[in-house]
Amino acid sequence: MNTEVRATDRSDARDPAKLRSDARDNRERILAVARSAFAADGLEVPIREIARRAEIGVATVYRHFPTKEALLSEALAEQMASCRAIVAAGLSADDPWQGFSQVIEELMTVHALDRGFARAFTSRLPQVAGFEADRAQTLGLVLELIRRAKATGALREDLRLEDVSLVLMANEGIRAESPQLRVAAARRFAALVLQSFQPPPTPTRLPPPVRLPLSLAEVEALSPE
């Protein structure tokens, strides 16, 4: 990621509360444009393009966000908080299977509408430490929900977190002519997936899980002690 442009003093730029009103307006415009650009076009949108769409200079973007990683972390924070709330709501359900089903469908819907966030959620982003830590906490909640659903017998015993990762990666590939059609496709895909996650009438042996960015090992490595 291009991080060559630097500002001489960013101590105030990093604290929104200390910004002048015009600077706050610029910062919020940068974030709004970045969220929209990443959602529609993915994480590869360059800083220069975000500056152009926000109608400000590239140096202004870097004055508020010293690196693209810093911009990504803040631009994606709202969606991550939304995902964490979705999983927390699933954990609060009286029926763990219903809670798990709700989480899978809603996460797939969120991801279908935001290409950038979907890619970030299923990728390793070591330079965006805050995002990775938040994701690890969210996935820790997903793991707890998986354990609870298995304990009821409603979820197949051999399901792993890597299987959720595979589903979200596949869901990212949905292409449709409108956001409404992407959501409809994601919900149908979720229904098909959830049927496959239930215990089969005749037990069948699955191939071994593959280590992916959303694997148990990744979550354990990133989770705070």
Side-chain angles (χ1 to χ4, degrees):
M1 295 178 185
N2 184 359
T3 58
E4 293 179 359
V5 180
R6 293 289 186 272
T8 57
D9 182 3
R10 299 190 186 86
S11 58
D12 286 350
R14 294 178 183 178
D15 184 354
K18 296 181 180 179
L19 296 176
R20 301 188 312 271
S21 61
D22 58 336
R24 281 197 301 271
D25 289 344
N26 280 342
R27 190 175 190 280
E28 289 306 313
R29 184 158 64 251
I30 292 165
L31 282 171
V33 169
R35 288 179 184 123
S36 176
F38 295 147
D41 303 318
L43 301 180
E44 293 75 21
V45 180
I47 290 290
R48 188 171 299 277
E49 175 60 17
I50 290 171
R52 186 191 70 78
R53 295 185 193 185
E55 300 181 338
I56 58 175
V58 173
T60 301
V61 177
Y62 280 112
R63 189 155 54 245
H64 291 277
F65 303 98
T67 64
K68 186 175 180 181
E69 289 81 9
L71 177 57
L72 279 169
S73 183
E74 189 141 358
L76 299 173
E78 190 175 278
Q79 285 287 56
M80 181 56 74
S82 175
C83 283
R84 192 160 53 247
I86 286 171
V87 180
L91 275 171
S92 68
D94 293 334
D95 182 337
W97 168 252
Q98 290 301 320
F100 177 78
S101 299
Q102 172 186 315
V103 166
I104 293 299
E105 179 178 332
E106 292 189 19
L107 286 182
M108 290 173 69
T109 299
V110 169
H111 286 209
L113 291 173
D114 192 326
R115 289 180 58 196
F117 181 76
R119 175 59 57 87
F121 197 88
T122 57
S123 302
R124 292 186 180 91
L125 298 174
Q127 293 173 307
V128 192
F131 179 84
E132 290 230 323
D134 289 344
R135 180 179 63 184
Q137 292 177 6
T138 300
L139 292 174
L141 298 178
V142 174
L143 278 170
E144 176 58 25
L145 187 52
I146 288 174
R147 294 187 189 104
R148 292 184 188 182
K150 284 184 178 181
T152 68
L155 186 63
R156 58 187 303 157
E157 276 296 324
D158 54 358
L159 184 120
R160 300 290 182 269
L161 184 62
E162 288 86 347
D163 300 316
V164 175
S165 178
L166 283 172
V167 168
L168 292 177
M169 287 177 174
N171 187 68
E172 184 190 339
I174 291 176
R175 298 291 180 265
E177 295 179 356
S178 70
Q180 293 80 9
L181 289 176
R182 288 199 299 275
V183 168
R187 287 178 174 164
R188 180 175 175 82
F189 187 24
L192 292 168
V193 163
L194 287 168
Q195 287 186 30
S196 73
F197 282 176
Q198 292 176 300
T202 303
T204 54
R205 186 179 182 85
L206 294 174
V210 177
R211 180 166 178 169
L212 296 167
L214 300 195
S215 69
L216 177 58
E218 294 291 327
V219 174
E220 291 175 338
L222 288 167
S223 295
E225 295 296 333

